[in-house]
Amino acid sequence: MADEFPKTPLLDELEKGAWPSFVSEIKMAAKRNAASRDLLGLLERSYREKIGHWKHGGIVGVLGYGGGVIGRYCDVPEEFPNVSHFHTIRVNQPSGWYYSTSALRKICDIWERHGSGLTNMHGSTGDIILLGTRTDELEPTFSELTEVGFDLGGSGSDVRTPSCCLGKSRCEWACYDTMALTYDLTKSFQDELHRPAFPYKFKFKMSGCPNDCVASVARADISIIGTWRDDIRIDHDAVMEYAEKGLDIQKHVVNFCPGKCMEWTGKKLTIDNSTCRHCMHCLNLMPKALRPGKDQGAVVLIGSKAPIIEGALLSSVLIPFWNPQPPYSDLKDLVGRIWDLWCEEGKNRERIGEFIQRVGMGNFLEMIGVEPIAEMVAHPRENPYVFYEEYLVEDDGEEEEGQN
Amino acid sequence: MPEPTKKRITDIGPPHYEQFLPPAVKANYGKWLYHEFVRPGVLMHASETGDKLYTVRAGGSRLMSIDKIRMICDLADKYCEGYLRFTSRHNIEFMLTDPSKIDALIADLAKLGHPVGGTGRSITSIVHTQGWIHCHSAATDASGIVKAVMDGVIEHFQNEDLPAKCRIALACCLNMCGAVHCSDIAILGVHRRPPMIDHASLKKTCEIPNVSASCPTAAIRPGVVNGFESVVVEEDRCMFCANCYTVCPSMKLNDPLNDGVSIWVGGKVSNARHEPMFSKLAIPYIPNNPPRWPEVVDAITNIIDVWKANARLNERLGEWIERVGWPRFFQLTGIQFEKLHIDDFKHAGLTFKRSAHLMY
Amino acid sequence: MAQMLTPQEAAEAMFNMVKEATGLRKLKPMDLTKNLLEAYGDRVDKQICKEAIKELVDSGRCVYTYFGGTYLELPHREGAAND
């Protein structure tokens, strides 16, 4: 089977059209690789039968690590022996997904020797994904990767590979150095990343500004989003330049401001920064004229996740303004307290956001030693079911802890 | 089990990013002043040092062969001093200091089959999962639908011709390996048949209390079936999340007769104008129709066309719907509103219309 | 002050716990830590437990496994494996 190119009439339909075709990619690899040839045949069968043909493996990995390898076995190995094992390796990407071609070529060479020759650039968490190899190739692949300076990313109940936007490297809006923070956290948490010890996964995502290009607010347990506290910097000549070039500043900039904090006279733009919501809309439309203020830092939010298990959550504010300064000890201390509590009290497969829902945000804050502040809520509670924690008894008039 | 190899290196973490920065990026790190959209797919970043950096963004297919990566490296060697980067949405970015080389680079990319675009008010590459390529719990394929949809909307990748940017994402099951739940348009693989339990193997491979506990609606309880210690599922309470299958391979939900996709709209993660929002259900179910899922492609192009024709400039899909109301969204798109659109999970009442603010 | 367990002794104790639980219940790394703290009181701490788990896995006596969550088990051929 594997020596010949399988016939793939259904998949061939996906080589038509202008968008790059993943089928053509698999075929390219299949010219020299038997696993890729069998993958083509297996996928064609899935397209015919409308069902996948994979079993989840749960034990394969490299020695000493509990994360970084996703075990996978084909459920029709007799027919497709070269994808009988088809494990994925997650390789920790460099901050911002920048590469030298020499580094990329080294990874390609390793994967040519040890795997299917197929990759994802990149997986959803941000890792380089080396797609498909056999159990006995895992250790040699890992060994060669570390030789050229790459290590595995996270999987399972551990710190997942932190990821970030490109930040200050190529963006004028980055309010802190996302790439530096991401690198530092990843290096600091190597043990937590490679040796799963948590109730479930834990993700960090770093965005340089409220545009949130890495979707941290939707899919990170700790979302760190850059922002500023002082006034938006205005270059009035550049504002006029945008107006003269045809931008209707009233209609497209001012009218869309959610804080209703801008005025445009036709000659001058003014901003009431005290009610600016730091949404980025005006900066997005006039990047040459408007810049974030100089007092820059980040909002730290906690708890977002996809639906499994108790429903999807967005992150909510934990620290309204944080000044990220190496070695970031304040953040690491806080995260350490959160992990201690979650490891002690969290249930199996319970993300931190779900844990907070279960125990109550107020109780959670108390347990990690963070003061509750109004920035953490959209509004105070609407229901009167308040868990008052103390009450008076007639005897001595002193407040005592309630017994129930 | 793997044998320890000699002199193992572990816990080194990722290589430091600085060695991978193009010289112009390194020299202007933290010094960028502003950017301009030169043309679709091409950005110019200006630095306070006076330097200008041109970025050419090419669409990628996420699943790439090492052969293709090497070809892309050849282009980066030829035009970009041996450096390149990828975006959070699988695009490939080439950074140049000499704008006169942009046309030649774009022509070379076209020869490789990679279109340029995805900047500004456009649709960019679709974030997606593994699907039938690699996943055990997939209710649909990922790469195939993505390829078909991108073929259908490529004009909006290559032209900045939409009211605002439009982020499409696909997850092949409810596990959602990717932030599809906050996308302008989300394609979500769904199962529709309760677990087909392999009672004979369950006790051997899984822990029954774990399986029971995995169910968000408490539909799974221990039980003896055909003499096997196993579990019983109360089918009325199953909402097909497949969490039980994730913890126990004997609880298979994959089923070619019933699996398919649902379409969700109006989410966003950016804070620009409106706060981040979840996507909401537009189409509860479309059967899997490989290889090109034409019904899914039509549904998505229809939603985009209606949004483009009716929204104001700057309005993301969800912002437009919020202004004109969901009844008008359903009316204009011709999508039938039905019982399944009404939430009945926790806090469902918060999603009901609780005022007389209606449009006629 | 009681004599603290060495990480090797702690690993041995954990290994026995995993062995006894095999076939009955899968243990997560945090379960092992909690069990050890309960069994040995102030003779162990979280850091020793952490080193013990590393020792347990690096020596090949236990392996990490994953089914929705990460567990520590005796090395075995997994159900899904093909030859």
Side-chain angles (χ1 to χ4, degrees):
Chain A
M1 183 79 201
D3 295 336
E4 46 191 283
F5 235 80
K7 292 210 165 33
T8 53
L10 292 172
L11 293 180
D12 294 349
E13 291 297 311
L14 288 166
E15 290 197 281
K16 298 172 183 168
W19 190 252
S21 167
F22 72 102
V23 173
S24 305
E25 295 292 324
I26 305 176
K27 285 188 178 178
M28 232 186 288
K31 281 180 193 156
R32 285 177 288 122
N33 185 289
S36 286
R37 278 197 291 281
D38 268 4
L39 181 67
L40 272 178
L42 184 71
L43 192 63
E44 177 73 13
R45 180 165 165 170
S46 283
Y47 269 59
R48 211 163 50 233
E49 299 173 353
K50 302 185 189 178
I51 194 163
H53 280 288
W54 300 105
K55 299 184 283 183
H56 43 356
I59 197 165
V60 292
V62 301
L63 183 71
Y65 283 12
V69 176
I70 315 297
R72 206 63 87 212
Y73 300 95
C74 167
D75 70 1
V76 279
E78 306 76 21
E79 200 175 331
F80 301 101
N82 297 296
V83 289
S84 169
H85 304 202
F86 202 64
H87 312 314
T88 279
I89 301 175
R90 291 185 182 166
V91 181
N92 198 144
Q93 82 286 2
S95 286
W97 299 290
Y98 283 93
Y99 297 94
S100 66
T101 53
S102 68
L104 272 182
R105 287 179 201 280
K106 282 176 196 163
I107 292 175
C108 290
D109 293 347
I110 293 170
W111 199 229
E112 171 145 19
R113 287 193 290 274
H114 296 292
S116 69
L118 295 173
T119 73
N120 290 151
M121 301 299 282
H122 295 78
S124 300
T125 305
D127 301 277
I128 304 164
I129 303 291
L130 302 180
L131 196 62
T133 193
R134 299 183 53 80
T135 304
D136 51 14
E137 293 288 1
L138 293 171
E139 199 64 30
T141 310
F142 175 62
S143 160
E144 291 193 27
L145 282 168
T146 54
E147 284 289 329
V148 300
F150 283 87
D151 198 348
L152 301 194
S155 67
S157 304
D158 62 8
V159 167
R160 296 298 182 87
T161 312
S163 77
C164 62
C165 73
L166 53 60
K168 289 181 178 289
S169 73
R170 207 200 59 202
C171 184
E172 67 271 22
W173 292 326
C175 292
Y176 71 97
D177 193 337
T178 56
M179 304 215 306
L181 176 60
T182 301
Y183 180 75
D184 183 289
L185 292 180
T186 312
K187 291 287 272 190
S188 301
F189 296 137
Q190 281 295 291
D191 192 53
E192 288 79 3
L193 198 152
H194 295 308
R195 296 173 190 83
F198 296 152
Y200 203 16
K201 63 182 99 169
F202 197 94
K203 299 185 175 184
F204 293 91
K205 295 206 187 291
M206 277 52 81
S207 278
C209 84
N211 281 323
D212 197 1
C213 286
V214 289
S216 69
V217 80
R219 58 195 191 121
D221 297 274
I222 293 286
S223 319
I224 303 178
I225 300 176
T227 193
W228 68 94
R229 286 193 291 198
D230 54 345
D231 294 355
I232 290 174
R233 286 177 280 177
I234 307 181
D235 176 340
H236 292 283
D237 293 339
V239 174
M240 281 311 294
E241 203 182 303
Y242 278 107
E244 280 156 14
K245 281 185 179 164
L247 177 67
D248 186 334
I249 291 175
Q250 182 64 41
K251 188 175 172 188
H252 294 306
V253 181
V254 175
N255 290 358
F256 277 94
C257 171
K260 305 276 174 257
C261 68
M262 309 187 93
E263 267 183 29
W264 169 244
T265 62
K267 290 198 173 73
K268 194 169 182 210
L269 184 74
T270 48
I271 301 174
D272 173 6
N273 282 278
S274 68
T275 53
C276 168
R277 297 185 184 187
H278 304 88
C279 87
M280 294 298 293
H281 175 70
C282 59
L283 284 83
N284 289 346
L285 261 60
M286 300 193 288
K288 200 172 177 180
L290 303 177
R291 300 174 68 195
K294 289 177 174 171
D295 183 12
Q296 302 184 342
V299 193
V300 180
L301 306 94
I302 186 165
S304 68
K305 57 179 287 295
I308 302 291
I309 303 169
E310 295 287 335
L313 295 170
L314 290 169
S315 284
S316 67
V317 173
L318 186 62
I319 307 173
F321 191 86
W322 173 55
N323 183 15
Q325 292 299 330
Y328 316 105
S329 309
D330 47 351
L331 180 78
K332 290 174 193 167
D333 288 349
L334 176 63
V335 166
R337 295 203 295 280
I338 292 170
W339 285 345
D340 280 347
L341 172 66
W342 180 47
C343 286
E344 199 66 42
E345 309 281 344
K347 295 199 280 192
N348 189 25
R349 282 170 69 68
E350 184 175 52
R351 294 280 289 270
I352 194 71
E354 289 166 322
F355 174 76
I356 292 170
Q357 300 270 305
R358 179 164 63 83
V359 303
M361 178 60 96
N363 292 332
F364 173 74
L365 293 171
E366 209 165 74
M367 291 186 272
I368 60 168
V370 172
E371 283 295 313
I373 51 172
E375 282 83 353
M376 295 172 176
V377 295
H379 55 74
R381 72 162 71 229
E382 292 170 331
N383 73 67
Y385 297 158
V386 181
F387 293 99
Y388 293 106
E389 288 167 341
E390 292 171 339
Y391 56 83
L392 300 170
V393 291
E394 292 80 355
D395 281 342
D396 50 18
E398 280 181 24
E399 282 195 4
E400 284 187 8
E401 193 101 352
Q403 295 301 304
N404 299 309
Chain B
M1 277 294 97
E3 288 297 314
T5 49
K6 59 178 186 303
K7 219 181 85 189
R8 287 181 93 245
I9 305 167
T10 69
D11 300 279
I12 56 171
H16 196 280
Y17 51 89
E18 207 177 87
Q19 62 193 289
F20 300 141
L21 300 179
V25 166
K26 207 166 166 178
N28 294 289
Y29 200 101
K31 296 177 185 165
W32 299 105
L33 274 181
Y34 67 92
H35 68 272
E36 286 172 357
F37 296 100
V38 179
R39 63 199 218 214
V42 182
L43 302 167
M44 186 279 289
H45 286 85
S47 163
E48 62 189 36
T49 63
D51 285 355
K52 288 185 173 180
L53 182 73
Y54 296 85
T55 298
V56 174
R57 181 177 294 172
S61 62
R62 180 174 130 128
L63 195 162
M64 289 208 296
S65 62
I66 52 174
D67 311 73
K68 176 61 73 59
I69 295 174
R70 286 168 177 152
M71 294 176 206
I72 285 165
C73 285
D74 289 342
L75 292 187
D77 287 341
K78 185 171 168 190
Y79 294 101
C80 310
E81 300 172 77
Y83 298 93
L84 75 161
R85 73 175 293 269
F86 293 84
T87 72
S88 58
R89 304 189 78 89
H90 318 307
N91 295 309
I92 309 150
E93 287 188 339
F94 298 87
M95 287 150 284
L96 308 91
T97 46
D98 180 359
S100 71
K101 292 179 181 168
I102 292 173
D103 287 333
L105 170 61
I106 292 176
D108 276 353
L109 280 165
K111 277 183 221 154
L112 282 189
H114 287 265
V116 162
T119 50
R121 294 182 166 101
S122 72
I123 288 175
T124 187
S125 303
I126 299 179
V127 166
H128 60 282
T129 55
Q130 300 288 19
W132 293 335
I133 292 275
H134 196 253
C135 187
H136 61 283
S137 63
T140 187
D141 188 36
S143 323
I145 301 184
V146 164
K147 159 72 175 151
V149 171
M150 282 312 292
D151 281 342
V153 300
I154 193 161
E155 60 180 304
H156 305 304
F157 176 82
Q158 292 174 308
N159 298 288
E160 294 167 349
D161 61 352
L162 294 171
K165 63 180 169 187
C166 180
R167 296 285 179 261
I168 308 179
L170 181 148
C172 52
C173 81
L174 270 63
N175 271 314
M176 289 193 190
C177 317
V180 316
H181 56 302
C182 293
S183 307
D184 293 281
I185 301 177
I187 307 162
L188 178 63
V190 288
H191 302 294
R192 297 189 311 149
R193 181 174 180 170
M196 291 154 277
I197 307 169
D198 181 355
H199 295 291
S201 77
L202 191 135
K203 180 81 190 337
K204 272 182 279 174
T205 32
C206 320
E207 287 172 41
I208 289 173
N210 264 355
V211 183
S212 297
S214 71
C215 181
T217 65
I220 304 176
R221 57 186 165 78
V224 177
V225 184
N226 304 331
F228 294 107
E229 265 188 81
S230 180
V231 296
V232 180
V233 174
E234 204 174 315
E235 295 202 345
D236 290 351
R237 297 175 76 161
C238 179
M239 41 49 166
F240 317 100
C241 71
N243 195 42
C244 56
Y245 183 55
T246 304
V247 304
C248 177
S250 302
M251 306 288 291
K252 198 164 183 154
L253 280 90
N254 302 356
D255 175 38
L257 271 182
N258 291 287
D259 288 350
V261 304
S262 52
I263 307 286
W264 304 69
V265 299
K268 70 197 276 284
V269 291
S270 152
N271 283 274
R273 303 168 305 281
H274 197 291
E275 289 180 322
M277 320 186 242
F278 288 124
S279 313
K280 279 95 178 164
L281 181 63
I283 303 175
Y285 178 67
I286 302 174
N288 278 326
N289 190 3
R292 295 196 63 101
W293 282 265
E295 299 81 4
V296 175
V297 177
D298 288 348
I300 287 171
T301 48
N302 174 44
I303 290 166
I304 290 166
D305 290 347
V306 169
W307 166 57
K308 186 183 173 187
N310 291 278
R312 293 176 184 160
L313 198 67
N314 302 319
E315 279 180 334
R316 296 276 291 261
L317 181 53
E319 293 171 295
W320 167 64
I321 297 172
E322 194 157 293
R323 179 168 62 80
V324 304
W326 285 95
R328 193 155 298 160
F329 167 80
F330 283 101
Q331 179 206 328
L332 288 170
T333 55
I335 298 168
Q336 181 68 40
F337 185 84
E338 55 181 289
K339 180 184 166 188
L340 293 175
H341 285 102
I342 305 175
D343 194 358
D344 46 17
F345 199 57
K346 279 183 282 185
H347 313 302
L350 297 173
T351 68
F352 302 162
K353 185 70 178 174
R354 298 176 296 167
S355 78
H357 284 210
L358 294 168
M359 291 167 231
Y360 300 100
Chain C
M1 182 71 195
Q3 179 74 36
M4 298 297 274
L5 258 60
T6 64
Q8 289 71 26
E9 289 165 339
E12 189 59 32
M14 284 180 172
F15 177 69
N16 288 328
M17 286 173 185
V18 173
K19 212 160 64 178
E20 279 165 33
T22 298
L24 302 168
R25 192 165 109 76
K26 283 186 202 171
L27 296 169
K28 294 178 75 73
M30 190 44 63
D31 298 331
L32 289 175
T33 300
K34 282 182 184 169
N35 291 355
L36 217 66
L37 287 167
E38 201 167 295
Y40 292 89
D42 56 8
R43 293 186 61 205
V44 288
D45 59 25
K46 282 184 180 169
Q47 188 54 38
I48 292 176
C49 291
K50 204 172 175 176
E51 287 167 32
I53 290 172
K54 193 166 188 293
E55 165 75 26
L56 208 54
V57 176
D58 286 351
S59 67
R61 277 180 288 172
C62 283
V63 289
Y64 285 108
T65 65
Y66 178 79
F67 270 107
T70 302
Y71 300 90
L72 279 166
E73 297 183 64
L74 300 181
H76 60 274
R77 187 179 186 279
E78 64 180 318
N82 301 324
D83 291 322

